[in-house]
mmCIF file of all heavy atoms in Angstrom:
data_model
loop_
_atom_site.group_PDB
_atom_site.id
_atom_site.type_symbol
_atom_site.label_atom_id
_atom_site.label_comp_id
_atom_site.label_asym_id
_atom_site.label_seq_id
_atom_site.Cartn_x
_atom_site.Cartn_y
_atom_site.Cartn_z
ATOM 1 N N PHE A 85 38.831 -23.134 -36.767
ATOM 2 C CA PHE A 85 39.566 -22.138 -37.518
ATOM 3 C C PHE A 85 40.811 -22.740 -38.140
ATOM 4 O O PHE A 85 41.234 -22.349 -39.212
ATOM 5 C CB PHE A 85 39.955 -20.980 -36.602
ATOM 6 C CG PHE A 85 40.604 -19.855 -37.322
ATOM 7 C CD1 PHE A 85 39.845 -19.031 -38.126
ATOM 8 C CD2 PHE A 85 41.958 -19.644 -37.232
ATOM 9 C CE1 PHE A 85 40.432 -17.987 -38.812
ATOM 10 C CE2 PHE A 85 42.553 -18.612 -37.915
ATOM 11 C CZ PHE A 85 41.792 -17.781 -38.703
ATOM 12 N N GLY A 86 41.372 -23.731 -37.472
ATOM 13 C CA GLY A 86 42.592 -24.354 -37.967
ATOM 14 C C GLY A 86 42.442 -24.920 -39.356
ATOM 15 O O GLY A 86 43.403 -24.952 -40.134
ATOM 16 N N THR A 87 41.230 -25.358 -39.713
ATOM 17 C CA THR A 87 41.050 -25.927 -41.047
ATOM 18 C C THR A 87 41.160 -24.845 -42.118
ATOM 19 O O THR A 87 41.330 -25.135 -43.280
ATOM 20 C CB THR A 87 39.680 -26.613 -41.184
ATOM 21 O OG1 THR A 87 38.679 -25.675 -40.823
ATOM 22 C CG2 THR A 87 39.585 -27.833 -40.299
ATOM 23 N N LEU A 88 41.008 -23.571 -41.699
ATOM 24 C CA LEU A 88 41.102 -22.494 -42.675
ATOM 25 C C LEU A 88 42.509 -22.348 -43.231
ATOM 26 O O LEU A 88 42.709 -22.080 -44.402
ATOM 27 C CB LEU A 88 40.714 -21.166 -42.030
ATOM 28 C CG LEU A 88 39.246 -20.822 -41.952
ATOM 29 C CD1 LEU A 88 39.092 -19.486 -41.281
ATOM 30 C CD2 LEU A 88 38.638 -20.792 -43.330
ATOM 31 N N ASP A 89 43.509 -22.498 -42.342
ATOM 32 C CA ASP A 89 44.856 -22.272 -42.827
ATOM 33 C C ASP A 89 45.323 -23.462 -43.651
ATOM 34 O O ASP A 89 44.739 -24.525 -43.619
ATOM 35 C CB ASP A 89 45.834 -21.944 -41.692
ATOM 36 C CG ASP A 89 46.087 -23.120 -40.784
ATOM 37 O OD1 ASP A 89 46.472 -24.199 -41.280
ATOM 38 O OD2 ASP A 89 45.885 -22.964 -39.578
ATOM 39 N N GLY A 90 46.331 -23.276 -44.406
ATOM 40 C CA GLY A 90 46.810 -24.357 -45.236
ATOM 41 C C GLY A 90 46.038 -24.468 -46.538
ATOM 42 O O GLY A 90 46.512 -25.066 -47.489
ATOM 43 N N VAL A 91 44.836 -23.871 -46.585
ATOM 44 C CA VAL A 91 44.039 -23.943 -47.808
ATOM 45 C C VAL A 91 44.754 -23.214 -48.952
ATOM 46 O O VAL A 91 44.742 -23.640 -50.101
ATOM 47 C CB VAL A 91 42.649 -23.316 -47.584
ATOM 48 C CG1 VAL A 91 41.886 -23.189 -48.874
ATOM 49 C CG2 VAL A 91 41.872 -24.147 -46.595
ATOM 50 N N TYR A 92 45.395 -22.126 -48.589
ATOM 51 C CA TYR A 92 45.940 -21.262 -49.638
ATOM 52 C C TYR A 92 47.405 -21.529 -49.950
ATOM 53 O O TYR A 92 47.938 -21.019 -50.911
ATOM 54 C CB TYR A 92 45.795 -19.803 -49.243
ATOM 55 C CG TYR A 92 44.625 -19.549 -48.366
ATOM 56 C CD1 TYR A 92 44.765 -19.433 -47.007
ATOM 57 C CD2 TYR A 92 43.353 -19.482 -48.925
ATOM 58 C CE1 TYR A 92 43.672 -19.230 -46.202
ATOM 59 C CE2 TYR A 92 42.263 -19.276 -48.127
ATOM 60 C CZ TYR A 92 42.422 -19.147 -46.759
ATOM 61 O OH TYR A 92 41.345 -18.952 -45.970
ATOM 62 N N ASN A 93 48.072 -22.285 -49.069
ATOM 63 C CA ASN A 93 49.494 -22.499 -49.286
ATOM 64 C C ASN A 93 49.743 -23.157 -50.631
ATOM 65 O O ASN A 93 49.138 -24.148 -50.974
ATOM 66 C CB ASN A 93 50.084 -23.346 -48.175
ATOM 67 C CG ASN A 93 50.173 -22.563 -46.895
ATOM 68 O OD1 ASN A 93 50.663 -21.440 -46.900
ATOM 69 N ND2 ASN A 93 49.653 -23.130 -45.822
ATOM 70 N N GLY A 94 50.634 -22.625 -51.363
ATOM 71 C CA GLY A 94 50.906 -23.197 -52.671
ATOM 72 C C GLY A 94 49.932 -22.689 -53.718
ATOM 73 O O GLY A 94 50.340 -22.268 -54.787
ATOM 74 N N VAL A 95 48.638 -22.701 -53.374
ATOM 75 C CA VAL A 95 47.626 -22.261 -54.337
ATOM 76 C C VAL A 95 47.941 -20.844 -54.814
ATOM 77 O O VAL A 95 48.005 -20.567 -56.014
ATOM 78 C CB VAL A 95 46.220 -22.308 -53.721
ATOM 79 C CG1 VAL A 95 45.198 -21.702 -54.662
ATOM 80 C CG2 VAL A 95 45.848 -23.744 -53.385
ATOM 81 N N SER A 96 48.180 -19.969 -53.844
ATOM 82 C CA SER A 96 48.439 -18.574 -54.172
ATOM 83 C C SER A 96 49.659 -18.439 -55.083
ATOM 84 O O SER A 96 49.657 -17.675 -56.048
ATOM 85 C CB SER A 96 48.640 -17.777 -52.888
ATOM 86 O OG SER A 96 48.829 -16.425 -53.174
ATOM 87 N N THR A 141 35.516 -20.330 -46.000
ATOM 88 C CA THR A 141 36.814 -20.757 -46.514
ATOM 89 C C THR A 141 36.901 -20.486 -48.005
ATOM 90 O O THR A 141 37.925 -20.022 -48.507
ATOM 91 C CB THR A 141 37.023 -22.259 -46.242
ATOM 92 O OG1 THR A 141 36.733 -22.505 -44.877
ATOM 93 C CG2 THR A 141 38.450 -22.678 -46.525
ATOM 94 N N THR A 142 35.801 -20.762 -48.724
ATOM 95 C CA THR A 142 35.780 -20.530 -50.166
ATOM 96 C C THR A 142 35.987 -19.057 -50.485
ATOM 97 O O THR A 142 36.774 -18.699 -51.357
ATOM 98 C CB THR A 142 34.429 -21.004 -50.756
ATOM 99 O OG1 THR A 142 34.127 -22.285 -50.202
ATOM 100 C CG2 THR A 142 34.474 -21.072 -52.255
ATOM 101 N N LEU A 144 37.406 -16.739 -48.647
ATOM 102 C CA LEU A 144 38.771 -16.310 -48.336
ATOM 103 C C LEU A 144 39.759 -16.861 -49.369
ATOM 104 O O LEU A 144 40.726 -16.184 -49.739
ATOM 105 C CB LEU A 144 39.164 -16.758 -46.928
ATOM 106 C CG LEU A 144 38.376 -16.073 -45.804
ATOM 107 C CD1 LEU A 144 38.779 -16.627 -44.447
ATOM 108 C CD2 LEU A 144 38.584 -14.573 -45.833
ATOM 109 N N ALA A 145 39.505 -18.079 -49.847
ATOM 110 C CA ALA A 145 40.385 -18.659 -50.869
ATOM 111 C C ALA A 145 40.297 -17.850 -52.160
ATOM 112 O O ALA A 145 41.304 -17.581 -52.821
ATOM 113 C CB ALA A 145 40.009 -20.112 -51.119
ATOM 114 N N LEU A 146 39.070 -17.412 -52.520
ATOM 115 C CA LEU A 146 38.890 -16.573 -53.712
ATOM 116 C C LEU A 146 39.609 -15.242 -53.545
ATOM 117 O O LEU A 146 40.224 -14.722 -54.478
ATOM 118 C CB LEU A 146 37.399 -16.322 -53.969
ATOM 119 C CG LEU A 146 36.637 -17.448 -54.644
ATOM 120 C CD1 LEU A 146 35.148 -17.098 -54.730
ATOM 121 C CD2 LEU A 146 37.185 -17.691 -56.051
ATOM 122 N N ARG A 148 42.256 -14.685 -51.804
ATOM 123 C CA ARG A 148 43.701 -14.933 -51.980
ATOM 124 C C ARG A 148 44.031 -15.212 -53.449
ATOM 125 O O ARG A 148 45.103 -14.893 -53.920
ATOM 126 C CB ARG A 148 44.145 -16.109 -51.107
ATOM 127 C CG ARG A 148 44.086 -15.835 -49.619
ATOM 128 C CD ARG A 148 45.131 -14.862 -49.166
ATOM 129 N NE ARG A 148 44.601 -13.515 -49.078
ATOM 130 C CZ ARG A 148 45.299 -12.465 -48.690
ATOM 131 N NH1 ARG A 148 46.556 -12.588 -48.347
ATOM 132 N NH2 ARG A 148 44.745 -11.276 -48.661
ATOM 133 N N TYR B 168 45.887 -14.125 -42.599
ATOM 134 C CA TYR B 168 45.114 -15.345 -42.691
ATOM 135 C C TYR B 168 45.605 -16.286 -43.781
ATOM 136 O O TYR B 168 45.070 -17.348 -43.985
ATOM 137 C CB TYR B 168 43.611 -15.100 -42.783
ATOM 138 C CG TYR B 168 43.121 -14.171 -43.865
ATOM 139 C CD1 TYR B 168 43.093 -14.543 -45.192
ATOM 140 C CD2 TYR B 168 42.647 -12.921 -43.521
ATOM 141 C CE1 TYR B 168 42.608 -13.682 -46.153
ATOM 142 C CE2 TYR B 168 42.168 -12.063 -44.477
ATOM 143 C CZ TYR B 168 42.141 -12.444 -45.788
ATOM 144 O OH TYR B 168 41.657 -11.613 -46.735
ATOM 145 N N SER B 169 46.648 -15.881 -44.481
ATOM 146 C CA SER B 169 47.186 -16.813 -45.470
ATOM 147 C C SER B 169 48.383 -17.573 -44.906
ATOM 148 O O SER B 169 48.927 -18.432 -45.547
ATOM 149 C CB SER B 169 47.611 -16.068 -46.723
ATOM 150 O OG SER B 169 48.592 -15.120 -46.396
ATOM 151 N N SER B 170 48.788 -17.241 -43.684
ATOM 152 C CA SER B 170 49.958 -17.927 -43.142
ATOM 153 C C SER B 170 49.545 -19.178 -42.391
ATOM 154 O O SER B 170 48.514 -19.209 -41.737
ATOM 155 C CB SER B 170 50.743 -17.002 -42.227
ATOM 156 O OG SER B 170 50.234 -17.069 -40.921
ATOM 157 N N ALA B 171 50.354 -20.213 -42.523
ATOM 158 C CA ALA B 171 50.031 -21.487 -41.891
ATOM 159 C C ALA B 171 50.398 -21.411 -40.420
ATOM 160 O O ALA B 171 51.298 -22.073 -39.961
ATOM 161 C CB ALA B 171 50.787 -22.614 -42.580
ATOM 162 N N ARG B 272 37.573 -32.804 -41.300
ATOM 163 C CA ARG B 272 37.804 -31.557 -42.029
ATOM 164 C C ARG B 272 36.568 -30.663 -42.129
ATOM 165 O O ARG B 272 36.479 -29.791 -42.967
ATOM 166 C CB ARG B 272 38.352 -31.806 -43.437
ATOM 167 C CG ARG B 272 39.617 -32.611 -43.456
ATOM 168 C CD ARG B 272 40.511 -32.249 -44.630
ATOM 169 N NE ARG B 272 41.898 -32.169 -44.234
ATOM 170 C CZ ARG B 272 42.468 -31.070 -43.769
ATOM 171 N NH1 ARG B 272 41.782 -29.959 -43.666
ATOM 172 N NH2 ARG B 272 43.729 -31.074 -43.440
#
Side-chain angles (χ1 to χ4, degrees):
Chain A
F85 185 73
T87 54
L88 276 180
D89 69 54
V91 171
Y92 331 99
N93 288 312
V95 173
S96 183
T141 310
T142 315
L144 293 177
L146 281 175
R148 292 290 97 179
Chain B
Y168 54 74
S169 59
S170 87
R272 304 210 138 272

